[in-house]
Amino acid sequence: ERFFNIYYLIRNSSRRHKDKIYYLSKFLEYVYGKEESDINSDTFFVAEKNKLYIDKTLFELNKRNEGSAKEHLLHVFEVLEREDKLSSLVNVHYWITLVSDIINLGYGLWLLAILKEKGYDIVLSPYYTAIQALEIETQDDKSGKENAEIYIKNIAIEVSNPARIIVDKMRKYIS
């Protein structure tokens, strides 16, 4: 009823009230953020279940223990598969930050190998493409961004467009 009331006010109120409602909506968007609003409750629940495995993965990578980190990361994938949430990771904020942290630690190629080994390079192809592009970008300081863009351009448009968005989001977290 509240949303209908807002709709009613937008349609039938004066310009002054419409402006107030507009600024209220912008405030709510700012407070809750676009990424968080994209996460539904089921995805958030799965993210909370995976938080322990994610933290352990990052902890082990900090200690340079790739074997244990891989084991914990595979637990993350198992939970996502069991909950049937693997294919809905395209814009999930926690996943973007996890992958960005892994790349920051210098394990981008390690992650790509795991994704390829488990067949997730196809299911998560926009992520795979984005990670590959970021790895190309970090390999060469001078022309890295150009080479990454060339790589993305040579991928099918239904993968390259989401990959570009993911790359832009990840760049915010990559140092």
Side-chain angles (χ1 to χ4, degrees):
E1 289 182 36
R2 289 287 183 197
F3 288 112
F4 182 78
N5 188 17
I6 291 173
Y7 172 76
Y8 178 80
L9 289 173
I10 289 171
R11 298 292 294 160
N12 299 319
S13 64
S14 68
R15 182 173 181 82
R16 190 185 72 188
H17 286 175
K18 286 180 185 178
D19 288 341
K20 287 181 180 179
I21 294 168
Y22 173 77
Y23 290 116
L24 171 68
S25 68
K26 286 296 176 188
F27 169 76
L28 292 173
E29 184 179 308
Y30 175 76
V31 168
Y32 293 106
K34 288 186 177 185
E35 285 103 7
E36 276 72 27
S37 66
D38 291 339
I39 301 173
N40 63 28
S41 60
D42 292 340
T43 305
F44 184 74
F45 179 70
V46 172
E48 287 300 310
K49 278 170 64 173
N50 273 331
K51 185 159 178 41
L52 177 66
Y53 293 125
I54 290 170
D55 290 344
K56 286 182 176 182
T57 300
L58 293 174
F59 178 75
E60 294 297 334
L61 287 176
N62 274 315
K63 289 185 358 180
R64 305 287 184 209
N65 190 349
E66 294 176 20
S68 292
K70 181 179 178 180
E71 182 180 320
H72 296 303
L73 185 62
L74 291 178
H75 282 296
V76 171
F77 286 122
E78 286 175 17
V79 170
L80 290 169
E81 281 183 13
R82 193 176 21 209
E83 300 288 333
D84 199 27
K85 299 292 180 198
L86 190 62
S87 61
S88 63
L89 283 179
V90 177
N91 286 314
V92 178
H93 181 72
Y94 83 91
W95 191 249
I96 288 174
T97 56
L98 170 66
V99 172
S100 300
D101 289 341
I102 290 173
I103 292 171
N104 276 333
L105 291 170
Y107 286 98
L109 293 175
W110 172 83
L111 179 59
L112 287 170
I114 292 173
L115 292 173
K116 185 116 178 136
E117 174 186 325
K118 294 297 180 181
Y120 299 134
D121 58 326
I122 297 168
V123 177
L124 299 173
S125 55
Y127 273 102
Y128 190 85
T129 303
I131 297 166
Q132 186 69 38
L134 288 168
E135 281 299 309
I136 291 170
E137 195 173 298
T138 58
Q139 288 173 2
D140 187 7
D141 290 337
K142 292 183 180 179
S143 60
K145 279 194 174 188
E146 294 171 15
N147 292 339
E149 186 58 34
I150 290 169
Y151 170 75
I152 289 177
K153 281 183 181 178
N154 288 323
I155 304 294
I157 195 163
E158 37 302 320
V159 174
S160 64
N161 285 344
R164 275 192 188 91
I165 294 168
I166 293 168
V167 166
D168 289 340
K169 287 182 179 183
M170 284 185 189
R171 278 188 184 133
K172 294 176 187 175
Y173 302 102
I174 294 176
S175 53

